[in-house]
């Protein structure tokens, strides 16, 4: 078995078998899936040019941010996005501008930093440093249809955040995002790291001139989860996920943060046993166990609902940013069987469809956010919906360049591609343009 399984609860063949047998059950009660079956029954077929449908799960080991692991090469639902609930649509209509509705346009200016001017880029995302020969993916910017989106202004942001504290809580994509964030800020003042745990999964930095503290917290489920792995990060049993208990790694720090960004999603697709009140409720993908397979959407909904309940009932008046789940762009097969992402320009609209697993995640998180927003109770909730602009950027992933000069010895070498995480600098920097807009308009 490949070490790439890492923290993933997988045996290569077992994972593929489990997902083949269980993703249908996970989506069965979902209205979209029912509609898809009905359309097939009445004879309507859909053809797709490309399939961006694979479920990829981050594998984080030691100081790495993660290795993508694909469990199934799913077919996409024939629709660009899961429909937003009406409450969320109304919220967006009330905004001065929907900054998430736009297009990528050429930008001659390029990136705000380089791999040489930011020392916080992890090696897996240092695409240029690892020998990626093209740089065209750096010369695009996101342009909303109804207004201007200013680029991230690090000086202005630091001035606004004097004496404040930030927390980024989530999985390896969250840490990927955080690196972009700290790289942008470090162009004005380099951050001083003053804490990290043994595995560098939880870290803290300080900007002395502005007394700004920023933290990144490893919590891929946002809830209490127990994993069982050997020294090589190979799992020996299913994840034990407590859907009613949030992860104390971040809850114990919540009251210290003025701004918090939460995100999750992909890890819920992993095989797990679900607990509530320390009693087994069921599972996801636990073939051979005498438990009810509840589907990963059950657990995701439970945890996200508990997340917002915790926020609403807290005494801390923090600004909360919830970042939606993100796409992968494997083509020509799954990660374990030649999957690639070799594109060099943004995709055309509609060229990549939302895969079934990403769609299910989205159809959990958007209604839960809308429900929380409708009963805000004086809290400040912001939605950072990065899916629309990210779906059309298949050119922004490390691909083979998550490794140092992967083709230096053999131009035809077979290399594991990373089509989930993002190059730094790269399209992910635009997420921080959106983030700053949300904060400035607060």
């Amino acid at each position: 078995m490949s070490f790439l399984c890492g923290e993933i609860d997988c045996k290569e063949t077992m994972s593929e078998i489990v997902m083949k047998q269980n993703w249908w059950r996970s989506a069965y009660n979902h209205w979209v899936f029912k509609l898809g079956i009905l359309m097939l029954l009445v004879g309507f077929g859909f053809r797709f040019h490309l399939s961006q449908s694979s479920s990829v799960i981050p594998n984080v080991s030691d100081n790495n941010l993660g290795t993508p692991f694909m469990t199934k090469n799913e077919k996409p639902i024939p629709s660009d996005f899961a429909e937003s609930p009406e409450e969320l649509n109304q919220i967006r209509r009330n905004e001065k501008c929907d900054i998430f509705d736009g297009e990528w346009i050429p930008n001659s200016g390029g990136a705000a930093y380089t791999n040489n001017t930011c020392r916080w880029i992890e090696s897996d995302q240092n695409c240029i440093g690892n020998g990626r020969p093209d740089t065209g993916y750096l010369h695009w910017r996101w342009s909303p249809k109804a207004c201007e989106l200013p680029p991230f202004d690090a000086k202005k942001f630091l001035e606004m955040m004097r004496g404040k504290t930030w927390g980024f809580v989530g999985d390896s994509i969250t840490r990927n995002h955080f690196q972009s964030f700290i790289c942008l800020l470090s162009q004005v003042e380099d951050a001083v790291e003053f804490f990290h745990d043994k595995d560098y999964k939880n870290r803290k930095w300080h900007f002395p001139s502005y007394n700004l503290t920023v933290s990144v917290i490893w919590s891929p489920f946002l809830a209490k989860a127990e994993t069982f792995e050997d020294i090589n990060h190979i799992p020996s049993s299913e994840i034990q996920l407590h859907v009613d208990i949030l992860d104390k790694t971040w809850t114990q720090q919540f009251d210290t943060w003025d701004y918090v960004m939460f995100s999750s999603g992909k890890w819920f697709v992993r095989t797990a046993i679900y607990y509530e009140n320390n009693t087994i409720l069921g599972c996801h993908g636990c073939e051979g166990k005498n438990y009810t397979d509840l589907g990963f959407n059950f657990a995701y909904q439970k945890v996200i609902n508990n997340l917002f309940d915790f926020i609403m009932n807290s005494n801390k008046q923090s600004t909360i940013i919830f970042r939606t789940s993100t796409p992968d762009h494997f083509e020509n097969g799954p990660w374990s069987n030649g999957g690639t992402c070799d594109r060099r320009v943004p995709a055309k609209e509609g060229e990549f469809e939302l895969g079934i697993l990403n769609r299910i995640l989205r159809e959990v998180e958007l209604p839960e956010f809308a429900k929380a927003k409708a009963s805000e109770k004086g809290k400040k909730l912001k939605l950072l919906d990065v899916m629309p602009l990210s779906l059309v950027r298949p050119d922004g992933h490390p691909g083979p360049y998550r490794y140092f000069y992967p083709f230096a010895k053999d131009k035809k070498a077979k290399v594991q591609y990373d089509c989930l995480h993002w190059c730094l600098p790269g399209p992910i920097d635009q997420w921080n343009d959106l983030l700053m807009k949300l904060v400035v308009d607060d």
Side-chain angles (χ1 to χ4, degrees), residues 152 177 180-181 184 428-436:
F152 188 90
H177 182 186
S180 167
F181 177 79
L184 288 165
I428 197 172
D429 295 319
Q430 304 281 293
W431 295 5
N432 290 308
D433 296 353
L434 299 169
L435 180 63
M436 183 164 184

Side-chain angles (χ1 to χ4, degrees), residues 100-358:
F100 308 112
D101 181 19
E103 62 181 345
W104 291 93
I105 63 175
N107 174 31
S108 59
Y113 62 93
T114 71
N115 59 311
N116 291 320
T117 62
C118 179
R119 62 191 179 102
W120 303 113
I121 302 174
E122 296 284 351
S123 60
D124 291 353
Q125 282 79 53
N126 189 353
C127 300
I128 294 176
N130 287 339
R132 179 169 175 171
D134 65 302
T135 58
Y137 65 98
L138 300 175
H139 296 281
W140 298 87
R141 67 179 179 88
W142 179 250
S143 177
K145 294 178 180 178
C147 61
E148 287 293 321
L149 178 65
F152 188 90
D153 187 331
K155 178 68 174 177
K156 180 178 180 180
F157 188 92
L158 287 167
E159 290 289 354
M160 289 176 60
M161 296 297 154
R162 283 186 178 275
K164 302 297 184 181
T165 54
W166 272 76
F168 285 68
V169 183
D171 55 20
S172 60
I173 300 296
T174 301
R175 296 199 295 187
N176 197 177
H177 182 186
F178 177 81
Q179 288 175 59
S180 167
F181 177 79
I182 199 170
C183 280
L184 288 165
L185 294 180
S186 291
Q187 301 311 294
V188 173
E189 179 177 77
D190 194 21
V192 177
E193 184 176 14
F194 66 93
F195 169 81
H196 64 76
D197 62 9
K198 179 182 178 181
D199 296 324
Y200 285 78
K201 291 183 177 180
N202 301 292
R203 306 171 70 176
K204 296 183 180 182
W205 287 262
H206 187 242
F207 292 87
S209 299
Y210 301 89
N211 192 25
L212 169 64
T213 301
V214 294
S215 304
V216 61
I217 306 298
W218 172 250
S219 185
F221 291 101
L222 306 178
K224 178 182 177 181
E226 300 158 3
T227 58
F228 305 92
E229 301 174 335
D230 64 18
I231 193 171
N232 296 314
H233 304 290
I234 296 175
S236 59
S237 185
E238 300 87 357
I239 295 166
Q240 312 293 302
L241 178 59
H242 297 258
V243 297
D244 60 332
I245 304 175
L246 295 173
D247 184 1
K248 66 180 182 180
T249 306
W250 69 262
T251 58
Q252 291 179 348
Q253 302 182 61
F254 181 80
D255 286 345
T256 69
W257 294 322
D258 299 302
Y259 295 83
V260 195
M261 195 198 76
F262 292 101
S263 57
S264 187
K266 290 292 197 298
W267 278 65
F268 281 84
V269 183
R270 297 175 61 185
T271 300
I273 308 295
Y274 299 148
Y275 288 79
E276 191 171 57
N277 296 321
N278 292 317
T279 301
I280 294 177
L281 290 176
C283 70
H284 168 64
C286 55
E287 184 180 3
K289 303 286 186 179
N290 190 26
Y291 303 137
T292 301
D293 195 318
L294 300 171
F296 67 87
N297 49 335
F298 166 85
Y300 192 44
Q301 190 277 331
K302 280 273 189 179
V303 171
I304 297 303
N305 181 268
N306 289 341
L307 169 70
F308 285 120
D309 280 349
F310 175 88
I311 292 168
M312 293 303 174
N313 292 317
S314 68
N315 294 322
K316 178 69 173 180
Q317 296 299 309
S318 304
T319 296
I320 309 298
I321 299 103
F322 183 81
R323 201 209 72 219
T324 56
S325 52
T326 58
D328 59 86
H329 291 95
F330 284 92
E331 298 185 83
N332 306 312
W335 76 272
S336 58
N337 191 27
T340 60
C341 44
D342 288 323
R343 297 194 180 218
R344 295 294 177 258
V345 294
K348 296 178 181 178
E349 185 175 356
E351 201 169 359
F352 279 87
E353 303 270 350
L354 196 65
I356 181 65
L357 298 178
N358 280 327

